[in-house]
Amino acid sequence: MAGHSNHPDKHHGAHGMHHGGHQDDAAFLETNRNHWNKFAASYSSEPWQKDMLNKVNAFIYANIKWIGVDFVDPSTTFEVTDPGQAKKVRVLDYACGPGTITHALSSRATEYVGIDLSENMVQAYNLRFNSATTDANSGDEFLNAHAEVGNLLTTEEPPETFSGAKYHDFDLVVVGLGFHHFSDVRLATKRLVERLRPGGVFLILDFVTHAMEAEEHPELKATANTVAHHGFSEQELKEIFAGAGLRGFAIVRMGDEVYIRGKSKRQPFMARGSKI
């Protein structure tokens, strides 16, 4: 996913999922790109990273129906069907990093398009899902998945490169652990929702913030107000999604915690909405 740092504290280092982009600040973008380029080779080398990836995968599996996409049944992947009748499920994995979300969804979709700021993350993604280079024992089966370097979140119109049919009418647009890195989340959400087909689902996977915790535990509110962090309350997310033309907002929390660098506790959540 868009692997930035691991949540509110921007310099945690990373999780193997990924990051997004401070679209209007060229210096920030360059710093971000360079950081993730360096990080691409070791995104899952630490025990805490592996633990987080395993828990996130399990969280996605457990809520696959909740996501609201009519996915392909993985058990039918190799059944011979009439190509003209075969179901197509297209996913845009934005700020894709090395492909954590793509790997988690796997053969439930028939096509994945990844986009990331980092050239090295894109390279890692493409090596991971390329049948010619995928190790049969690595657990990363061949998927119809390809990533490209790019940024769709500029205030200007996105580059001509991303204007074709290949980059529109997705059944699912997903941002994994990158949403909190977007400088203008309202613009980012609108830009990404534009890529969905009507009825398509916009999904983010991120970390529960102090603001969300305070909503459930009022006694934390005084403390939360003293903490400067880049987070969103559930109400804020609901308004951001509605403002981008999404309906049916829903949120689900993991109910378990992951540890960033083995120290900072975070609870992942997923939030979704459907394009009107």
Side-chain angles (χ1 to χ4, degrees), residues 41-111:
S42 60
Y43 70 90
S44 63
S45 58
E46 298 288 332
W48 67 267
Q49 293 168 323
K50 292 177 181 177
D51 179 65
M52 176 159 57
L53 291 172
N54 288 337
K55 286 185 174 180
V56 165
N57 279 344
F59 180 42
I60 292 172
Y61 299 152
N63 291 280
I64 203 74
K65 290 185 178 177
W66 174 91
I67 291 172
V69 173
D70 185 17
F71 288 116
V72 174
D73 179 349
S75 66
T76 65
T77 301
F78 300 106
E79 291 182 7
V80 178
T81 57
D82 177 353
Q85 301 298 316
K87 181 194 295 186
K88 290 183 173 60
V89 178
R90 303 180 65 242
V91 175
L92 172 59
D93 187 349
Y94 192 76
C96 61
T100 300
I101 294 287
T102 294
H103 172 68
L105 295 176
S106 187
S107 54
R108 290 177 178 83
T110 56
E111 179 187 1

